[in-house]
Amino acid sequence: MPKGQNGIHTIFPIFKDDGFEVYCDFETDNGNWTVFQRRINGQTDFYRGWNAYENGFGNLKAVFWLGNRKISELTSTGKHELRIDLTDFDGNTRFGNIQRSTLEMGRPITNSQLMDIVGILCGYVNLNGRYLQGGQIDTKGINWYNWKTSWYSMKSSVMMFRKVH
């Protein structure tokens, strides 16, 4: 992926004639990230069924889930690195990285498989939970238990991947 500005770009996965839009991050940790989940406010409800997660939803300019099909197409060859960035309501930030061959699968990746991968790194995690204002303590919120040692609901969550060479 060529270096550019953060934002929406059209990409063309290998063996596909049709491209699709993704949000690219060229600044974080030397860039080349494809963002597949961003939660920055409560404008988009993430409590949805399988079809929504399979096909994606939201607005790439703001809050979205890219879609399991697109994630699978983009990660079906090679090794990839997963990065998770979190922010609490006091402005504190944390991030985690993981490199796993699990992201190399050629079949559709499910949300539960992705959460299993994240769980290996983080422990008790719910990054697609309800958006709760003001850092409420609730197991149904956007949680990363091992950071806050509680079910503190985060202000923002961004998940992204990039190819590892």
Side-chain angles (χ1 to χ4, degrees):
M1 183 180 301
K3 291 285 184 188
Q5 292 186 346
N6 285 0
I8 298 171
H9 297 268
T10 301
I11 60 171
F12 296 86
I14 296 174
F15 307 116
K16 293 278 290 184
D17 292 331
D18 298 335
F20 53 83
E21 291 185 329
V22 298
Y23 188 93
C24 298
D25 180 326
F26 293 103
E27 296 173 1
T28 303
D29 191 19
N30 297 314
N32 289 338
W33 297 100
T34 300
V35 178
F36 64 94
Q37 183 249 43
R38 182 170 45 217
R39 310 283 308 273
I40 56 174
N41 57 44
Q43 291 180 348
T44 300
D45 184 7
F46 273 57
Y47 188 74
R48 296 172 182 247
W50 169 254
N51 286 337
Y53 277 93
E54 182 74 5
N55 297 308
F57 55 87
N59 180 340
L60 290 175
K61 294 178 183 174
V63 178
F64 67 92
W65 177 262
L66 183 60
N68 295 350
R69 282 189 186 159
K70 291 176 181 174
I71 294 168
S72 179
E73 286 179 32
L74 296 173
T75 60
S76 64
T77 61
K79 194 178 256 186
H80 293 80
E81 176 181 12
L82 170 68
R83 181 180 171 108
I84 304 155
D85 290 340
L86 299 172
T87 305
D88 68 15
F89 280 90
D90 294 323
N92 301 306
T93 60
R94 292 289 186 277
F95 74 92
N97 286 68
I98 188 167
Q99 292 181 19
R100 301 253 325 158
S101 61
T102 310
L103 290 177
E104 295 177 38
M105 21 185 186
R107 61 185 190 278
I109 186 169
T110 67
N111 191 39
S112 64
Q113 288 169 322
L114 188 58
M115 290 300 99
D116 287 345
I117 294 165
V118 174
I120 290 167
L121 174 67
C122 309
Y124 300 107
V125 175
N126 184 11
L127 300 180
N128 286 342
R130 289 178 25 213
Y131 192 89
L132 303 173
Q133 296 290 336
Q136 296 177 45
I137 306 298
D138 190 324
T139 59
K140 294 179 181 168
I142 302 170
N143 308 124
W144 185 345
Y145 187 91
N146 286 354
W147 175 20
K148 293 292 187 178
T149 61
S150 73
W151 295 109
Y152 177 97
S153 188
M154 301 295 162
K155 179 178 183 181
S156 70
S157 166
V158 176
M159 292 194 283
M160 50 194 158
F161 60 83
R162 67 179 172 192
K163 192 163 242 175
V164 176
H165 301 283

